[in-house]
Amino acid sequence: MSATALGLVITAALLHALWNVVAKKTGGDVRFAFISALFLVVLWAPIGIWAAWNALARWGWLEWAVLLASAIVHVVYFTTLLRGYRLSDLTIVYPVARGTGPLLASLGALAWLGETMSVVAAAGVAGVAIGVFVIAGGPGLWAKAHDPLQRRRVRAGIGWGAATGVLIAGYTLIDGYAVKVLLLSPILVDYIGNLFRVPVLLPAALRDRRGFADVWRAQWRSALVVAVLGPVGYVLVLYAVRLAPLSHVAPAREVSMLFAALIGGRLLGEGDRSLRVVGAVCIAGGVAALALG
């Protein structure tokens, strides 16, 4: 991975951690996602229109189909994650999702996009996945699994977390295909994807209009932060995908877990600083291996 691509990924990871801290503290649901997407579409419209001005005329059905598929997978990913949080603990769902997602994305890139990976890079992927698992409190899963009262929640968390990881890998591969193979603008991939998400999220968000009004008043500031920082971070990732193999970029993104732990403190409900240090070392070593490999 080039220094430029690595710099883009690390910057994007910091932005990802920042808006995730805001989103976690807000505790929003599908209505929060809709408000964030709506703000994003409005705020970034000038740049989206500029990027689309000459590009859309050259698009065929494949380009539109890929972006629609990306939008749908993003929405299903979000609702699956929320479902997992309702049925299990954050420290079960989150590490499973963030640990399996980059691993599956890397394997998918090797198989679907024809990428190759050195032994050093493969060790880097493993290091990042282990670090994500540890820094999110993963070792605590084993203690919970031996408690009969917690076993059902652990199983639910692993199942929904794994499903979330599959969806993370899914949209990563779709968007990677869009920018690497179809050569679509990363700006348009993100903007039009969010444009598609607005009507998809609209029915669920407005099911309870009075409740939606209350959520709007309470959460619009947080949604605005997500709408500003989120696109910048993801577009940087997509530009990095153009410069480096997706199988390297996807796991390197998980350095955001390190930033989230440092910025958010107890964001994931884990107070064991020694575990976070071990996880941080694994992630840093994994990203370094990806850069060298």
Side-chain angles (χ1 to χ4, degrees), residues 83-161:
R83 176 72 171 172
Y85 285 163
R86 288 196 297 269
L87 296 177
S88 187
D89 299 333
L90 180 71
T91 50
I92 298 173
V93 178
Y94 196 76
V96 172
R98 301 309 301 185
T100 58
L103 280 176
L104 294 174
S106 295
L107 293 174
L110 296 177
W112 188 31
L113 300 179
E115 296 183 357
T116 59
M117 182 179 291
S118 68
V119 174
V120 174
V125 173
V128 170
I130 293 170
V132 168
F133 185 77
V134 172
I135 207 170
L141 296 181
W142 306 116
K144 292 181 179 180
H146 289 86
D147 181 352
L149 297 178
Q150 290 287 341
R151 190 172 295 122
R152 181 177 298 179
R153 291 181 65 82
V154 169
R155 289 176 178 172
I158 291 173
W160 286 101

Side-chain angles (χ1 to χ4, degrees), residues 164-207:
T164 303
V166 170
L167 292 164
I168 290 172
Y171 73 67
T172 300
L173 289 171
I174 292 171
D175 293 348
Y177 178 81
V179 299
K180 289 184 79 74
V181 178
L182 298 181
L183 300 179
L184 302 186
S185 164
I187 295 173
L188 284 181
V189 169
D190 184 72
Y191 185 77
I192 293 181
N194 277 282
L195 192 63
F196 281 151
R197 286 170 219 164
V198 171
V200 173
L201 291 166
L202 181 62
L206 296 185
R207 188 174 299 148

Side-chain angles (χ1 to χ4, degrees), residues 24-285:
K24 295 285 185 183
K25 289 184 177 180
T26 303
D29 55 16
V30 67
R31 294 168 294 188
F32 179 75
F34 172 75
I35 296 170
S36 299
L38 191 61
F39 272 140
L40 189 156
V41 168
V42 173
L43 288 173
W44 294 100
I47 295 178
I49 293 171
W50 169 78
W53 194 257
N54 294 318
L56 296 189
R58 299 190 298 269
W59 286 13
W61 67 268
L62 179 59
E63 286 80 1
W64 289 106
V66 167
L67 293 189
L68 179 59
S70 173
I72 292 173
V73 173
H74 272 278
V75 170
V76 177
Y77 147 76
F78 182 76
T79 55
T80 300
L81 182 65
L82 290 180
R83 176 72 171 172
Y85 285 163
R86 288 196 297 269
L87 296 177
S88 187
D89 299 333
L90 180 71
T91 50
I92 298 173
V93 178
Y94 196 76
V96 172
R98 301 309 301 185
T100 58
L103 280 176
L104 294 174
S106 295
L107 293 174
L110 296 177
W112 188 31
L113 300 179
E115 296 183 357
T116 59
M117 182 179 291
S118 68
V119 174
V120 174
V125 173
V128 170
I130 293 170
V132 168
F133 185 77
V134 172
I135 207 170
L141 296 181
W142 306 116
K144 292 181 179 180
H146 289 86
D147 181 352
L149 297 178
Q150 290 287 341
R151 190 172 295 122
R152 181 177 298 179
R153 291 181 65 82
V154 169
R155 289 176 178 172
I158 291 173
W160 286 101
T164 303
V166 170
L167 292 164
I168 290 172
Y171 73 67
T172 300
L173 289 171
I174 292 171
D175 293 348
Y177 178 81
V179 299
K180 289 184 79 74
V181 178
L182 298 181
L183 300 179
L184 302 186
S185 164
I187 295 173
L188 284 181
V189 169
D190 184 72
Y191 185 77
I192 293 181
N194 277 282
L195 192 63
F196 281 151
R197 286 170 219 164
V198 171
V200 173
L201 291 166
L202 181 62
L206 296 185
R207 188 174 299 148
D208 176 10
R209 297 194 177 186
R210 180 173 296 179
F212 176 78
D214 293 337
V215 169
W216 179 283
R217 285 191 292 269
Q219 299 181 357
W220 72 266
R221 292 178 181 83
S222 297
L224 185 60
V225 173
V226 172
V228 171
L229 297 182
V232 177
Y234 196 57
V235 167
L236 290 179
V237 167
L238 294 179
Y239 273 112
V241 168
R242 279 191 165 183
L243 300 174
L246 178 61
S247 54
H248 290 52
V249 173
R253 285 188 68 199
E254 300 313 316
V255 75
S256 64
M257 284 288 297
L258 171 59
F259 289 131
L262 294 174
I263 297 170
R266 294 180 178 268
L267 177 65
L268 300 175
E270 293 293 330
D272 194 334
R273 293 184 179 180
S274 61
L275 278 181
R276 290 204 291 269
V277 170
V278 171
V281 171
C282 289
I283 292 174

